[in-house]
Amino acid sequence: AAAVLILFMIGETLEGYSAKKAQKGIQSLASLLPDTSILIKQNGTSEVIKSSEIKIGDFIEVKPGERLAIDGKIFKGTTNMDESLLTGESLPVYKTEGDKVVAGSINTDGNIIVEALLPGNNNAVTRMVKMVEEAQSSKTRIMRSIERFSRVYTPIILLIGTLTAVIPPLFLNLAWNEWIYRGLTILLIGCPCALVI
């Protein structure tokens, strides 16, 4: 019984640890996005605004060394973009006017103006964060099938364990201690946790 409980607790602990680690990794990725961006107005002047306030069609200036806060396309200028944060590709990718760029990329050398294709609060990084959170909260197909199985399996094992503990002593006049022990053994071995382990 102790071995089954320990193994089950170890499994739960490892699952919780890996879920927290994944969540921290994605949140640290989101924290790398700049809080502010330089908005280029129609009259040519610039203004510093919160990245979350960027609307579709806004023009954002991204200077060399800055990280992109939005998903968009290059309206003016050329540059090499470091997309390793999202794609894992270590070499910068050359981008020119009309090419799409994603949030989290680093503008390595050119001064560019990017047209926002999505609002500032809806970019590749925030979508990744939402997907990870949804994946952690939703149950997998296997989990759902195990739950359906356990709804039928568990009552049957409880019934078999109870009958094993009660019938021989009552009807065959055998020792209660021995048959209660055997009934508990069936419950222990037959519990879904033990079956999975």
Side-chain angles (χ1 to χ4, degrees), residues 4-190:
V4 170
L5 286 171
I6 288 167
L7 288 171
F8 189 70
M9 286 170 65
I10 289 171
E12 288 281 313
T13 304
L14 289 174
E15 182 185 350
Y17 172 75
S18 62
K20 282 180 186 172
K21 193 171 181 184
Q23 218 167 11
K24 279 182 185 174
I26 294 294
Q27 285 170 348
S28 67
L29 180 70
S31 70
L32 292 175
L33 293 179
D35 294 329
T36 59
S37 297
I38 301 170
L39 173 70
I40 304 296
K41 296 181 179 179
Q42 289 183 350
N43 61 10
T45 61
S46 61
E47 177 189 356
V48 176
I49 62 166
K50 289 183 179 178
S51 297
S52 58
E53 294 174 355
I54 297 171
K55 297 182 285 297
I56 296 172
D58 282 351
F59 294 98
I60 305 299
E61 183 180 4
V62 186
K63 296 176 180 174
E66 290 183 351
R67 194 177 293 274
L68 198 59
I70 53 162
D71 295 340
K73 66 178 179 181
I74 296 179
F75 177 74
K76 187 177 179 185
T78 60
T79 188
N80 288 299
M81 296 295 285
D82 179 359
E83 299 175 343
S84 60
L85 188 70
L86 297 167
T87 64
E89 176 58 55
S90 58
L91 294 174
V93 180
Y94 180 73
K95 301 278 185 177
T96 187
E97 292 175 11
D99 288 344
K100 289 189 176 180
V101 288
V102 291
S105 305
I106 298 172
N107 179 13
T108 59
D109 49 30
N111 200 40
I112 56 172
I113 295 175
V114 177
E115 181 183 354
L117 297 178
L118 290 169
N121 56 3
N122 180 21
N123 56 54
V125 176
T126 56
R127 286 195 301 276
M128 282 173 58
V129 171
K130 284 177 188 171
M131 284 177 7
V132 167
E133 287 171 355
E134 285 170 10
Q136 288 176 345
S137 63
S138 66
K139 293 180 180 176
T140 63
R141 194 174 70 231
I142 294 169
M143 287 290 288
R144 287 194 296 269
S145 62
I146 286 173
E147 282 181 1
R148 279 197 304 271
F149 170 72
S150 67
R151 263 186 249 136
V152 176
Y153 177 79
T154 304
I156 291 171
I157 292 298
L158 283 169
L159 182 65
I160 292 170
T162 305
L163 293 175
T164 302
V166 173
I167 289 177
L170 281 179
F171 297 106
L172 303 174
N173 206 19
L174 296 171
W176 278 97
N177 288 349
E178 183 181 342
W179 285 96
I180 288 174
Y181 180 79
R182 287 183 182 182
L184 290 171
T185 304
I186 287 171
L187 290 177
L188 175 65
I189 292 169

